[in-house]
């Protein structure tokens, strides 16, 4: 008689509601998540059930599990082809696949015993990113409108916010929700569902965009919000490509209707308590959530309700002309926000990246990092994340502080937030 089939709880991603935001792939400490042009998938032979990917997933699509015989684990090819998840197998079906009743019980016990496993010795910036919000964050609404029932918003503005004719054309787009509920907080994002279908004839999946306006509207008191969109004209390897959602968004006209899902995000949120400091580190469209937080504090200050707390901004771009919102940023009072720009391709200037700025301003940063009321936000290109966290580590270490213990507090107290894409 054959031995009963060994069972395991296979970790799967629901392709129907996943918005392909890459957060899980960036978070997984053992590289168990990958994707093709259609689906994000989990490698059964690599996943150790550490659950690190579950809290950051904005849609909950990562939190899916199917008991299966190990010998019949869903392959990557099968997962790539799915439009929705396969059904949960009943005990009778598991028995028919060669399991016995005790194998089912053992598998359940194993699932309960699976524990966190982290890679040792390898620096991974994601290890320091918080998955919890600051203690004084306002409570966010999330997933009010899912991919199966997007909400329609009307475009009420679409302007380019960096200099025309430069690379990385970036637009500031304002969407109005009329009387439909779409309450948001600074640091949250929305999903845009582009019209049409992909190469396989399936509806395009939603793309995620950070909200660039404060909680009470791009236009104060209106049910609207703004996003900052870079027109993607080449892929990450520099090959020409017409990004589906970003080109659609950049070409929208006032009065057009757009399908929106969300809001998403429950940890990249700003602190609201008096004297809380915010350090913002960004590149390109990573400035969107920073604009939202800055504008909220600027409105509080205007209304006389702002109770102190420093704002420090480190903003990187290739050139000044490419940098979104350069003009409006220049107009902010110096006693309100401490702005530091880094340009990496400005003619006749030495290349500077945000990491260089962090090191240059180390004395001020260390004073802020020592203060438990300081919250740090990093947003922009994926490629900046590791360099920024390494620079923070250097700044801390050179000041004679212990990075591992400070880094761990930053994470646990919701004080270091990483959102890169
Ligand atoms: C949490 C989160 C927040 C985001 N916030 C913003 C935001 O505020 N503003 C914004 O513009 N984008 C933002 N993005 C990226 C956005 O979701 C889209 O990925 C981006 O607009 C490209 O979508 P697309 O449909 O135009 O390109 P696709 O058709 O999806 O991709 C076309 C090709 O371009 C490559 N590509 C994708 N994104 C980029 C990029 N940014 N630069 C260069 N090549 C790229 C792809 O790998 C692919 O090869 C965010 C992403 C995440 C996960
Ligand atoms: S559970 Fe852990 S190992 Fe598995 S995919 Fe998620 S983060 Fe990776
Ligand atoms: S929505 Fe969740 S499962 Fe999908 S890519 Fe983002 S984090 Fe991963």
């Amino acid at each position: 008689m054959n031995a009963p089939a060994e069972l395991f709880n296979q970790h799967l991603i629901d392709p129907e509601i996943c918005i392909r935001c890459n957060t899980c792939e960036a978070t997984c400490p053992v590289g168990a998540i990958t994707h093709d042009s259609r689906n994000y998938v989990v490698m059964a032979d690599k996943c150790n059930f550490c659950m690190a990917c579950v809290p950051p997933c904005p849609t909950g699509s990562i939190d899916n599990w199917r008991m299966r015989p190990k010998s019949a684990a869903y392959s990557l090819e099968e997962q790539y082809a799915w439009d929705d998840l396969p059904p949960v197998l009943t005990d009778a079906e598991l028995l028919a696949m060669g399991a016995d009743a005790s194998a089912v019980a053992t598998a359940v016990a194993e699932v309960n015993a699976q524990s966190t496993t982290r890679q040792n010795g390898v620096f991974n910036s994601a290890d320091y990113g918080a998955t919890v919000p600051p203690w004084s964050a306002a409570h966010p609404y999330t997933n009010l409108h899912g991919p199966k029932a997007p909400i329609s918003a009307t475009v009420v503005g679409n302007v380019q916010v960096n200099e025309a004719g430069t690379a990385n054309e970036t637009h500031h787009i304002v969407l109005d929700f009329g009387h439909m509920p779409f309450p948001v907080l600074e640091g949250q994002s929305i999903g845009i569902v582009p019209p049409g279908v992909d190469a396989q004839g399936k509806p395009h999946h939603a793309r995620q965009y950070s909200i660039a306006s404060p909680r009470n509207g791009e236009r104060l008191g209106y049910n609207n919000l703004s996003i900052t969109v870079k027109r993607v004209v080449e892929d990450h390897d520099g090959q020409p490509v017409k990004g589906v959602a970003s080109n659609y968004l950049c070409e929208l006209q006032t009065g057009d209707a757009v399908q929106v899902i969300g809001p998403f995000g429950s940890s990249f949120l700003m602190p609201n308590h008096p004297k809380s400091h915010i350090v913002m580190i960004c590149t390109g469209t990573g400035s969107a959530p920073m604009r939202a937080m800055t504008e909220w504090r600027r409105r509080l200050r205007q209304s006389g309700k702002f109770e102190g707390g420093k704002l420090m901004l480190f903003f990187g771009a290739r050139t000044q002309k490419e940098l979104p919102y350069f003009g409006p940023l220049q107009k902010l009072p110096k006693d309100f926000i401490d702005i530091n720009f880094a340009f990496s391709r400005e003619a006749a200037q030495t290349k500077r990246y945000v990491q260089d700025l962090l090191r240059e301003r180390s004395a001020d940063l260390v004073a802020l990092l020592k203060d438990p009321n300081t919250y740090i936000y990093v947003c922009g290109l994926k490629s900046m994340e590791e360099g920024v966290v390494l620079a923070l580590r250097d700044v801390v270490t050179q000041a004679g502080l212990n990075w591992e213990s400070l880094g761990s507090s930053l994470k646990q107290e919701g004080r270091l937030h990483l959102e890169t894409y």
Side-chain angles (χ1 to χ4, degrees):
M1 199 177 104
N2 290 337
E6 200 183 339
L7 298 181
F8 84 127
N9 207 19
Q10 185 165 3
H11 186 185
L12 301 171
I13 293 174
D14 185 345
E16 216 177 351
I17 55 170
C18 168
I19 56 169
R20 284 79 176 163
C21 67
N22 200 55
T23 306
C24 52
E25 192 172 320
T27 308
C28 177
V30 296
I33 298 175
T34 183
H35 67 277
D36 70 357
S37 58
R38 293 191 68 222
N39 285 350
Y40 273 72
V41 298
V42 184
M43 294 177 229
D45 55 338
K46 283 198 176 173
C47 175
N48 61 26
F49 309 95
C50 74
M51 309 300 270
C53 57
V54 175
C57 170
T59 59
S61 41
I62 192 103
D63 198 8
N64 281 286
W65 311 85
R66 293 287 185 275
M67 192 75 82
R68 305 236 351 125
K70 268 190 182 161
S71 54
Y74 293 115
S75 68
L76 293 189
E77 287 65 36
E78 284 172 285
Q79 296 180 55
Y80 283 139
W82 287 342
D83 292 324
D84 43 31
L85 283 175
V88 175
L89 293 176
T90 62
D91 284 1
E93 285 166 323
L94 289 170
L95 292 172
M97 290 174 88
D100 66 12
S102 70
V104 176
T106 308
V108 171
E110 270 177 16
V111 166
N112 294 337
Q114 276 146 1
S115 61
T116 302
T117 308
R118 311 288 278 177
Q119 274 184 332
N120 287 326
V122 180
F123 182 85
N124 181 3
S125 52
D127 286 347
Y128 304 97
T131 53
V132 289
W135 66 264
S136 60
H139 187 77
Y141 288 91
T142 57
N143 294 303
L144 288 179
H145 308 279
K148 287 181 186 168
I151 184 176
S152 184
T154 307
V155 178
V156 292
N158 184 355
V159 288
Q160 188 170 343
V161 276
N162 55 1
E163 205 154 309
T166 50
N168 286 327
E169 177 187 333
T170 304
H171 286 235
H172 180 75
I173 299 168
V174 186
L175 302 174
D176 192 277
F177 292 90
H179 295 287
M180 290 302 285
F182 207 88
V184 298
L185 288 173
E186 308 78 14
Q188 285 194 290
S189 58
I190 63 170
I192 297 285
V193 188
V197 291
D198 63 18
Q200 283 79 33
K202 305 281 175 208
H204 287 300
H205 65 79
R207 269 62 164 189
Q208 216 174 343
Y209 294 91
S210 303
I211 294 164
S213 49
R215 60 191 81 181
N216 54 358
E218 168 67 20
R219 186 171 173 196
L220 182 64
Y222 281 71
N223 188 16
N224 59 27
L225 58 78
S226 60
I227 53 176
T228 312
V229 181
K230 183 189 92 168
R231 190 193 282 274
V232 171
V233 291
E234 54 183 39
D235 66 16
H236 293 293
D237 301 322
Q239 297 305 311
V241 67
K242 191 174 178 197
V244 172
S246 58
N247 282 273
Y248 160 69
L249 285 166
C250 288
E251 283 156 25
L252 285 170
Q253 304 290 316
T254 301
D256 285 347
V258 182
Q259 300 300 297
V260 182
I261 61 173
F264 301 119
S266 52
S267 59
F268 195 106
L269 301 174
M270 62 188 289
N272 291 303
H273 61 280
K275 309 283 180 218
S276 49
H277 312 296
I278 302 182
V279 176
M280 301 172 278
I281 306 166
C282 61
T283 54
T285 54
S287 54
M290 316 311 184
R291 179 184 184 271
M293 292 185 198
T294 305
E295 184 59 13
W296 174 241
R297 289 225 159 166
R298 195 187 67 80
R299 286 182 189 178
L300 286 179
R301 182 168 135 132
Q302 252 181 357
S303 66
K305 291 182 190 150
F306 182 60
E307 297 177 274
K310 292 196 173 97
L311 284 186
M312 203 171 185
L313 173 68
F314 296 91
F315 196 167
R318 296 198 304 186
T319 64
Q320 181 193 303
K321 287 179 178 173
E322 277 185 32
L323 190 126
Y325 307 115
F326 185 73
L329 271 171
Q330 296 292 83
K331 292 189 190 134
L332 293 172
K334 299 270 177 294
D335 66 340
F336 168 63
I337 182 167
D338 178 348
I339 302 178
N340 303 265
F341 292 120
F343 300 114
S344 60
R345 288 205 206 157
E346 201 65 89
Q349 275 184 27
T350 320
K351 281 186 180 194
R352 290 170 91 222
Y353 298 93
V354 282
Q355 300 88 293
D356 303 321
L357 294 177
L358 296 175
R359 292 193 171 91
E360 280 167 27
R361 297 293 310 270
S362 59
D364 299 287
L365 269 176
V366 166
L368 282 170
L369 280 159
K370 281 182 182 167
D371 185 337
N373 294 306
T374 299
Y375 295 80
I376 305 168
Y377 299 83
V378 181
C379 189
L381 290 177
K382 181 100 241 135
S383 53
M384 77 183 284
E385 184 180 301
E386 183 166 311
V388 164
V389 180
L390 279 170
L392 289 174
R393 186 187 71 172
D394 291 351
V395 163
V396 165
T397 312
Q398 279 157 21
L401 302 170
N402 181 317
W403 166 252
E404 283 310 321
S405 101
L406 183 60
S408 152
S409 307
L410 291 174
K411 182 184 175 81
Q412 282 167 20
E413 294 167 13
R415 293 177 49 212
L416 174 59
H417 296 273
L418 309 173
E419 188 160 278
T420 56
Y421 42 87

